[in-house]
Amino acid sequence: MKNLVELYCDVDDFCKIFIPQWQKQLLEDGTKKRQRTGQMTTSEVMTIVVGFHMSHYRDFKNYYLGHVSAFYKDAFPNLLSYTRFLAVMPRIIAPMCAYFSTLKGKPTGIEFIDSTSIKVCHNIRIPRHKTFKGVAQRGKGTMGWFYGFKLHLVVNHLGEIVAAKVTSGNVHDTQPVSELAEHLPDKLYGDKGYLSKALAADLFDKGVTLITTVRKNMKAKAMSLWDRAMLSKRFIIETINDQLKNISFIEHSRHRSVNGFMLNLLAGLVAYCLKKDKPSLNISDVELNSVVVA
């Protein structure tokens, strides 16, 4: 885990390159606007937000007031009040999204796909939930019905996130696969939720072989021993989903805006990408090359 000083150096190096290029591409309406710099830089705000998801705190207010304000006051001399910091947080959504894009892993030829639910409230509170009204939807996963969104992930055998997409909770798992697998080089492993002849044919045309398990009432597929072994290793992406929820803390029910939800999710994904010890499969280079060549 990186401390805030190491994290700040990484984020600041990124912002020095990204922010000037981003500002050049922003659309203008012709009116003159003051370009006032905030008391805290974009790098500082991003560092604190990501640092929360790398800490053991489960509540951002306690993290900000009890940890950052108490121990890092000298590192952030222009530290804002808690309420003012919440007001400036939405400004870093675009930089955070770009930063996450730079941290994603590269396809290795052995990728796994899965989705996980992102609940925004308890089921009994759905009728009176207003924050995500018209945006979140009811969906059903392995743990039953939920109200919120789905996070669709593609990861490689090294435990690195290769692609990610957020949809409403009622979107079928197969719908975003074509987009997520756009630049994959070889095989993509998924569970029986991704069974679809049309999807498999579409991916095959793009050079991607979709390999899935089958339902109990279906005949067993003919596949190589290697593919069977890789299907049995799908726990890697389930472990990653578990870490995203319980360590990077991408899911909670206290959101007050869609912007807050997106920033919380992005910062959690960034925090995971910066982890040194990720879940991975012990596959040698010789084994990997033999599979890719085959």
Side-chain angles (χ1 to χ4, degrees):
M1 178 187 296
K2 296 177 180 289
N3 60 37
L4 283 184
V5 176
E6 294 173 326
L7 177 60
Y8 174 78
C9 292
D10 286 344
V11 174
D12 193 52
D13 288 343
F14 163 78
C15 286
K16 286 178 179 177
I17 298 174
F18 172 76
I19 298 297
Q21 298 299 322
W22 177 47
Q23 290 177 340
K24 288 180 182 179
Q25 297 178 15
L26 293 177
L27 297 176
E28 298 182 358
D29 58 7
T31 59
K32 292 184 178 181
K33 297 180 180 179
R34 290 184 298 173
Q35 298 293 330
R36 295 178 58 186
T37 57
Q39 284 184 292
M40 294 188 70
T41 64
T42 300
S43 304
E44 291 176 323
V45 178
M46 288 177 64
T47 298
I48 291 174
V49 173
V50 175
F52 163 66
H53 291 270
M54 301 177 75
S55 71
H56 296 290
Y57 285 83
R58 312 305 281 174
D59 179 80
F60 184 76
K61 184 176 183 179
N62 289 331
Y63 171 76
Y64 191 82
L65 298 177
H67 185 74
V68 178
S69 298
F71 301 107
Y72 287 91
K73 184 68 175 179
D74 294 337
F76 300 102
N78 297 318
L79 196 65
L80 302 172
S81 67
Y82 174 69
T83 52
R84 180 57 187 160
F85 190 87
L86 293 182
V88 303
M89 279 174 60
R91 300 178 185 176
I92 66 169
I93 291 179
M96 189 73 76
C97 188
Y99 186 43
F100 169 61
S101 297
T102 66
L103 297 174
K104 290 190 294 186
K106 296 181 179 180
T108 61
I110 302 176
E111 271 69 49
F112 300 87
I113 187 169
D114 198 9
S115 68
T116 187
S117 61
I118 307 294
K119 303 174 185 176
V120 296
C121 73
H122 194 281
N123 285 349
I124 62 174
R125 298 189 179 93
I126 294 176
R128 62 176 185 269
H129 187 84
K130 297 181 180 179
T131 303
F132 296 98
K133 186 176 182 180
V135 182
Q137 297 291 338
R138 298 188 190 218
K140 189 176 184 181
T142 55
M143 302 302 292
W145 288 94
F146 67 94
Y147 180 73
F149 303 88
K150 280 185 179 180
L151 174 63
H152 305 263
L153 289 181
V154 174
V155 305
N156 58 27
H157 75 280
L158 300 175
E160 299 169 334
I161 296 175
V162 175
K165 184 177 179 64
V166 180
T167 65
S168 55
N170 61 346
V171 172
H172 195 274
D173 288 349
T174 59
Q175 187 169 325
V177 176
S178 294
E179 181 181 350
L180 291 170
E182 188 68 33
H183 301 293
L184 299 185
D186 194 9
K187 296 185 177 181
L188 180 63
Y189 297 93
D191 61 19
K192 57 180 177 288
Y194 295 93
L195 276 170
S196 170
K197 291 183 179 180
L199 176 61
D202 179 58
L203 293 180
F204 187 78
D205 291 339
K206 297 178 180 179
V208 180
T209 303
L210 178 63
I211 302 172
T212 65
T213 54
V214 296
R215 298 188 180 92
K216 293 181 180 180
N217 60 348
M218 297 176 62
K219 293 182 179 179
K221 288 183 178 180
M223 63 179 67
S224 67
L225 292 176
W226 176 267
D227 289 338
R228 289 186 183 277
M230 288 301 100
L231 282 176
S232 69
K233 302 294 185 181
R234 281 193 61 265
F235 63 82
I236 181 175
I237 192 168
E238 295 170 355
T239 302
I240 291 171
N241 283 332
D242 181 72
Q243 290 192 3
L244 285 171
K245 287 185 176 182
N246 298 307
I247 298 179
S248 296
F249 199 38
I250 64 171
E251 180 185 55
H252 68 77
S253 58
R254 301 184 303 279
H255 295 295
R256 296 296 176 263
S257 69
V258 176
N259 285 338
F261 167 80
M262 287 305 303
L263 182 57
N264 182 78
L265 179 60
L266 284 168
L269 292 172
V270 167
Y272 172 82
C273 291
L274 293 172
K275 279 170 56 74
K276 293 182 179 179
D277 299 321
K278 298 181 179 67
S280 61
L281 301 180
N282 186 20
I283 299 176
S284 67
D285 292 338
V286 175
E287 292 174 320
L288 183 59
N289 291 333
S290 64
V291 174
V292 173
V293 171

